[in-house]
Amino acid sequence: TQEQQAAAEDRQVLSRLRELAQRSEDLMEELAKLQNAIQQAEEEEKQELERQLKRLREQQQELLRQADELESRMRSPENAERMSEQADQLQESREELRQAAKATEQNDPSAALAAGRRAEEQLDNLQEEFRRRAAGAFDENVREMQREAEQLQQEQERIGESMKQESETASPGLRSEEQSAASPEQLQKQAERYRELLDRIQDTVQE
């Protein structure tokens, strides 16, 4: 259903947000260690540390590209109506990441770390929003499956009772072909609905 597709997309976006937040945190920790090491290093050690710092700047640029890709996904036609506000928040986080990268390029670790922390906090808030949304969708999906299971059980009981009454009141020679064929057809439909419900339960648990 459309609701299931939206919930699945929310979970995908949440996963990408987690990756962004974790990568940002890792880069800021690495930056802090590198800057500390550079300050204490001998002259011959600084060259290797500077190369590591250059690789870190490149990783910051890659992080910006990943943030851009996720924002584009959130603003896509199928997501824009539901995620417009969150996409704006991600844009703000992306700006903080850009400021962190710029400060790193300018050898201003304090400013870089401050901007990185702001980005992490904003990304954490975004994750929490999508976690709440995903939890609500999961609960509603479970309730819907419970209702469907109850309906199937009631239908199964009705079919069983109907077959019992037919068996008790009609002689085999008097049953029409239509009467004989009705119950097996109904049972087949019930079996198909049960299989579909089991598939949905399995998909929901795996997600």
Side-chain angles (χ1 to χ4, degrees), residues 6 14-15 26 31 52 56 67 73-74 79 83 86-87 102 104 112 115 142 153 172 178 180 196:
L14 174 57
S15 177
D26 292 344
L31 173 61
Q52 294 181 29
L56 186 143
R73 180 174 184 168
M74 294 168 72
N79 292 330
M83 299 185 186
Q86 288 76 21
K102 181 179 179 181
T104 303
V142 170
Q153 181 63 31
E178 182 180 354
S180 300
E196 291 172 0

Side-chain angles (χ1 to χ4, degrees), residues 102-198:
K102 181 179 179 181
T104 303
E105 187 72 30
Q106 295 173 345
N107 294 317
D108 188 350
S110 296
L113 292 171
R117 282 192 293 269
R118 290 193 296 271
E120 290 168 28
E121 182 178 351
Q122 291 169 347
L123 289 170
D124 286 343
N125 291 337
L126 264 175
Q127 286 183 75
E128 184 58 32
E129 285 188 42
F130 276 94
R131 271 194 292 267
R132 287 196 298 266
R133 183 183 293 188
F138 178 85
D139 291 343
E140 178 56 33
N141 201 17
V142 170
R143 286 192 293 269
E144 183 179 340
M145 287 187 294
Q146 287 174 334
R147 289 192 293 268
E148 186 170 349
E150 291 171 358
Q151 292 173 358
L152 282 170
Q153 181 63 31
Q154 293 172 0
E155 183 70 11
Q156 189 70 23
E157 292 173 356
R158 188 192 66 78
I159 291 174
E161 183 63 26
S162 176
M163 292 177 66
K164 180 180 178 181
Q165 292 177 358
E166 181 182 328
S167 176
E168 292 175 349
T169 59
S171 300
L174 298 178
R175 292 178 186 167
S176 68
E177 291 183 3
E178 182 180 354
Q179 288 175 316
S180 300
S183 293
E185 180 182 345
Q186 289 175 320
L187 289 173
Q188 182 179 358
K189 289 181 178 179
Q190 284 292 99
E192 291 174 356
R193 290 177 64 189
Y194 269 118
R195 284 194 295 271
E196 291 172 0
L197 179 58
L198 289 173

